[in-house]
Amino acid sequence: MPHSPRPTSRTSRCPNSKFGTGRPVSKVQAAVCLEQVINPLTSGFAPAQARIRHPKLHMADSGLAATLLGATPDSLSDPTEPLRGPLHETFVANEVRKQLSFGGSSATLHHFRDRRQREVDLIVRLADGKLVCIEVTAAMRAHGRKAQTLGWLRDTIGDRFECGIVLYAGEQPLRLGPRIVALPIFYLWEA
């Protein structure tokens, strides 16, 4: 793996980038919207020492990301292709971010990860403080294990947990547990 240059005043380090852990991110790249930073949700449900506070980085265009990574439609149709998951997550993150910007709402987009490796890909914090928690998978079937962290979060924060959604590449909506559903990714446009 190539060595990443040391960050300077013109770059910052985004350790949780799906496309090169620890690589420097140019502030110019962020300014021209090539990359989107999703800050962690840092309060309300886990001890401070257990939370990981690094932002998550996604390319602003999942097609451009796929091209830069050498992915093709044929390679991405293979369920074992390791880029499928990160590219699906990037696509969904960008779509959710766009939809939040349409309504002029004060909802904000975050993610969560702790030192026990519990992770929620996307968290929408609504204006009233409630949380819509989203897990993304490139799988054609929604499995309960994608909902495990959502269930833990629901049980931990109680009424602040509005709902949990597993977005997947299948076609049927499914109930995975109390206030947790699996929805096809195309539901982002069906609502």
Side-chain angles (χ1 to χ4, degrees):
M1 173 180 263
H3 181 269
S4 296
R6 183 180 199 131
T8 67
S9 61
R10 302 174 83 194
T11 64
S12 61
R13 194 168 294 277
C14 289
N16 295 326
S17 168
K18 293 286 185 186
F19 303 110
T21 299
R23 102 182 143 80
V25 176
S26 166
K27 291 180 182 176
V28 173
Q29 287 173 304
V32 296
C33 298
L34 290 178
E35 296 167 325
Q36 298 295 326
V37 175
I38 299 176
N39 289 313
L41 190 62
T42 58
S43 64
F45 51 85
Q49 68 273 17
R51 294 187 302 259
I52 296 176
R53 296 177 176 238
H54 299 294
K56 219 179 217 192
L57 179 70
H58 289 284
M59 292 284 295
D61 182 326
S62 57
L64 177 60
T67 300
L68 292 172
L69 292 168
T72 65
D74 287 339
S75 70
L76 292 173
S77 66
D78 178 357
T80 63
E81 168 59 57
L83 293 175
R84 271 176 62 107
L87 287 170
H88 268 81
E89 184 179 333
T90 293
F91 176 77
V92 168
N94 287 319
E95 291 303 308
V96 169
R97 181 187 49 78
K98 288 177 201 172
Q99 290 187 18
L100 289 176
S101 71
F102 292 153
S105 79
S106 59
T108 55
L109 188 59
H110 303 274
H111 77 93
F112 173 79
R113 183 177 310 145
D114 70 10
R115 297 194 190 290
R116 295 180 67 190
Q117 300 305 308
R118 290 181 290 217
E119 178 180 7
V120 178
D121 295 328
L122 301 168
I123 299 175
V124 178
R125 183 171 41 194
L126 304 173
D128 63 2
K130 293 193 182 245
L131 305 176
V132 175
C133 303
I134 303 169
E135 278 290 305
V136 181
T137 180
M140 295 299 289
R141 294 189 181 134
H143 297 283
R145 68 178 174 263
K146 275 305 255 187
Q148 283 178 345
T149 301
L150 296 175
W152 165 79
L153 193 55
R154 177 200 59 220
D155 297 342
T156 301
I157 65 171
D159 290 340
R160 286 188 54 216
F161 185 90
E162 182 71 17
C163 67
I165 302 167
V166 175
L167 288 173
Y168 76 113
E171 297 187 13
Q172 298 297 319
L174 304 166
R175 185 168 189 255
L176 300 177
R179 294 185 285 164
I180 300 174
V181 297
L183 299 174
I185 290 173
F186 68 80
Y187 270 44
L188 286 169
W189 306 277
E190 297 286 321

